[in-house]
Amino acid sequence: MTKKYIRIAELIYKDKIGNLTEQEKYELLAWLEESDFNRQIFDELAKGSSLSRSYDEYRNIHREQVWNAIEKQIVPQGRQLSLRWVGYAASVIILVVAGWFIFQMSDNKNVVQEGKKVARITPGTQKAILYLDNGEQVVLADNNTVVVEDSLSGRIEQVDKSLVYQTESTVKEERLNVLEIPNGGEFQVTLADGTKVCLNAGTKLTYPIAFVGKERRVRLEGEGYFEVKRDENKPFIVEIKGMEVKVLGTSFNLRSFAADNRSTATLISGKIEVKTSSRRVELSPNQQADLWVGENKLDVREVDAAVYSAWTKGRFVFRRERLETILDDMSRWYNVTVFYEQSSAKDILFSGIMERYADISKTLEMLEKTGKVSFIIDEQKIIVRAK
């Protein structure tokens, strides 16, 4: 079995450098068509993901006896292959053999508990990167400090886990900052007008250090919860993919991750106006505007708005949500990669309330109790199997 995956690793490497023969193309294609899982491995490696980390890093993670067996076969037999191949080969072997193959031989022990012996996946923390308009980058963490204080930007300070702007009202030129939250992080910012924004993992907010002109305009990529400071003379506008949200003073949740190709505005209190290229609607509390960007189709529906802002209060709340959506949220928060044995598992629906700051194994155990799926945890990877 291990030799088979070394062969597949070699084919992936050759495909990467454009050196496959016609026969090898058919061989690789046949392996890809065996399962969705194989296709996902190939796609991850092809896009240069974290699976391509070095051989030494993987060796430190996995069991010595497994590596002893793998190392005997990983040495090329009479062939000259670049060291770069070893990285790709190790990626495939570790993922499929050292992770997956161990599980298959584990006598059906509880997969979540077994995985915890390999590595403990911890929830996200307060962290972000602030990009100033002069090109400077500031790494933010869980501490209080003055980030910037000068005549151009005024005072930017981190106070009680929130970035706070105290910009002089005399500023006349719009200068943009970008606050980026990596996977495995979250952060809050109080803008110069007093508007508060909570930003979820995998999110980027672009905004001026001071709002000049007749409107307050920001751009969001990812997910953010807004509590907008009321100003009837200067509306607050948020741009997300395919949608603009205009408010005077209210609280709402916006979600627009690139991978979803979907933008959603959920109103908690007040009133907002949602505008797309073809439609303009006003939302009342507990209404949601949902846009499928590729189709430019905007749907408005009644919802329990508290469900969509629960992440700001330390909880995952799902109401008949697809497993893929649930695990996408978890992958960003816990900074893990998710693989599916069968693509059909993505469409299984779940409902539940889970603690956001708990160890990931607790959340996966709750999903397993439904009897619909099981999980393998292998370092920073989760493998999903439908039952």
Side-chain angles (χ1 to χ4, degrees), residues 35-234:
S35 69
D36 294 325
F37 186 55
N38 291 355
R39 170 65 67 177
Q40 195 171 5
I41 294 169
F42 177 82
D43 290 343
E44 287 292 327
L45 290 174
K47 70 184 181 184
S49 73
S50 59
L51 296 178
S52 300
R53 289 180 301 176
S54 71
Y55 170 87
D56 287 337
E57 288 177 341
Y58 280 112
R59 191 188 193 287
N60 291 334
I61 294 168
H62 293 277
R63 300 179 179 181
E64 190 69 26
Q65 62 266 36
V66 174
W67 270 105
N68 288 339
I70 290 173
E71 286 178 324
K72 290 178 182 178
Q73 301 176 64
I74 199 171
V75 179
Q77 300 297 320
R79 283 182 267 182
Q80 295 294 321
L81 292 177
S82 77
L83 290 176
R84 182 183 174 196
W85 173 81
V86 177
Y88 282 95
S91 296
V92 177
I93 292 166
I94 292 304
L95 177 63
V96 181
V97 181
W100 171 248
F101 196 61
I102 288 174
F103 170 72
Q104 294 284 42
M105 300 176 64
S106 65
D107 297 325
N108 295 320
K109 293 180 181 178
N110 181 284
V111 295
V112 172
Q113 294 301 321
E114 183 71 11
K116 285 175 68 178
K117 295 178 182 178
V118 177
R120 181 175 179 268
I121 298 175
T122 56
T125 58
Q126 294 282 325
K127 59 184 176 183
I129 302 173
L130 174 63
Y131 297 88
L132 302 173
D133 72 319
N134 62 6
E136 183 183 351
Q137 298 180 23
V138 182
V139 177
L140 306 172
D142 190 3
N143 62 305
N144 293 341
T145 183
V146 175
V147 179
V148 174
E149 188 168 22
D150 59 39
S151 58
L152 293 177
S153 299
R155 184 181 178 92
I156 307 174
E157 188 174 6
Q158 187 176 336
V159 181
D160 295 331
K161 302 180 181 179
S162 179
L163 197 63
V164 179
Y165 281 74
Q166 300 172 0
T167 308
E168 295 291 336
S169 59
T170 55
V171 173
K172 301 299 181 184
E173 180 185 357
E174 184 175 79
R175 303 176 62 201
L176 296 178
N177 282 184
V178 178
L179 189 60
E180 183 173 0
I181 319 302
N183 286 348
E186 64 179 357
F187 219 80
Q188 299 81 41
V189 57
T190 300
L191 303 179
D193 67 332
T195 292
K196 297 180 180 180
V197 190
C198 297
L199 300 171
N200 208 345
T203 296
K204 182 186 295 185
L205 182 69
T206 303
Y207 53 92
I209 62 170
F211 293 101
V212 299
K214 297 180 180 180
E215 63 183 23
R216 298 170 288 168
R217 184 177 290 267
V218 303
R219 177 163 185 79
L220 177 76
E221 301 169 51
E223 185 168 23
Y225 172 79
F226 291 75
E227 292 182 354
V228 176
K229 190 77 170 180
R230 188 173 183 85
D231 185 345
E232 295 183 4
N233 298 318
K234 188 177 287 190

Side-chain angles (χ1 to χ4, degrees), residues 259-295:
D260 296 342
N261 205 32
R262 181 180 181 184
S263 295
T264 304
T266 308
L267 183 61
I268 285 81
S269 66
K271 183 174 288 189
I272 61 176
E273 178 186 87
V274 175
K275 183 177 72 172
T276 70
S277 60
S278 60
R279 191 177 177 191
R280 186 192 303 261
V281 297
E282 282 192 354
L283 298 187
S284 298
N286 289 312
Q287 284 189 323
Q288 182 179 82
D290 197 16
L291 173 70
W292 290 97
V293 179
E295 304 172 9

